[in-house]
Amino acid sequence: MNDYLIRQYEQVKADVAAAAVKAGRRPGDVRLIAVSKTFPAADIAAVYDCGQRLFGESKLQELEPKTAALPADIEWHLIGHLQSNKAAKAVACASCIHSVDSVKLLERLERLAGEVGRRVDILLEFNLSGESSKFGAGDADAMALAQAAACCRNLRWRGLMTMAPLDADEMGLHRVFGGLRRLRDRMAAAFGVELPELSMGMSGDYHVAIAEGATLVRIGTAIFGKRDYMK
Ligand SMILES: *Cc1c(COP(=O)(O)O)cnc(C)c1O
């Protein structure tokens, strides 16, 4: 049973590296996040035994027990939506939070990280419309959020994250992922910070994301198989 999972994992890992090379980048420039949501600790352990140390989960109620059950040298990234009232748990469990999308959440995380003396990496999540490569309507909000992130001392703002619309075609994917890269470049220049990370690309669209500069790809289905949310 695990043979299949291991084969899938090795294939995805090799394919991510190949996509990086094809894009004129180094294989090490793109890190694979194995998105293990809904899958049991035994599956994660099998992939861990192949050398994978970076895993992603969407929900705290799943992340928390998994961090307790699995080896301590796993780097856990929280990739799903986070409610402010669960921020303390997120700070305790995750080394990087990809889904910071409001000043309120950001300030709460900053305060909590300070209280427990823990430095936590964060990414700001933006929804870029496939219609336009420009960041339109939410521009003022986006810059206010970026400004607040640049001022944090306990949180380390590392970059941006996005999810492409499900119905985007290849051109639309290039617009969304390229748009996130350009927004990152603008923010890095505007606030004088280094923002090395671009978290973009999932099972169905990671090739385009890597071509557009992704440094973190979040891949679940292609490694673990289809998710059964009824389990
Ligand atoms: C579930 C999830 C993924 C992984 O998606 P797959 O299509 O299974 O690879 C990536 N990013 C986020 C935010 C997710 O919630």
Side-chain angles (χ1 to χ4, degrees), residues 69-150:
L70 286 151
D73 65 341
I74 291 183
E75 189 184 330
W76 292 102
H77 287 200
L78 183 66
I79 61 173
H81 180 71
L82 175 61
Q83 289 168 292
S84 291
N85 61 3
K86 297 195 179 130
K89 279 193 175 160
V91 164
C93 294
S95 61
C96 180
I97 299 167
H98 289 226
S99 46
V100 179
D101 59 359
S102 73
V103 173
K104 182 183 164 204
L105 175 61
L106 180 84
E107 286 177 344
R108 191 144 186 172
L109 290 168
E110 167 72 1
R111 179 171 57 72
L112 291 161
E115 279 171 18
V116 297
R118 198 156 181 250
R119 278 207 103 186
V120 181
D121 288 348
I122 57 146
L123 306 176
L124 299 184
E125 179 176 358
F126 293 107
N127 281 317
L128 304 185
S129 145
E131 295 296 296
S132 153
S133 61
K134 284 193 306 232
F135 198 78
D139 208 16
D141 285 350
M143 283 302 177
L145 180 56
Q147 167 91 69

Side-chain angles (χ1 to χ4, degrees), residues 35 37 58 79-80 161 163 202-204 218-222 227:
V35 176
K37 65 188 183 201
S58 289
I79 61 173
M161 181 272 215
M163 279 171 85
M202 312 183 4
S203 292
R218 311 178 308 266
I219 299 180
T221 309
R227 284 180 291 275

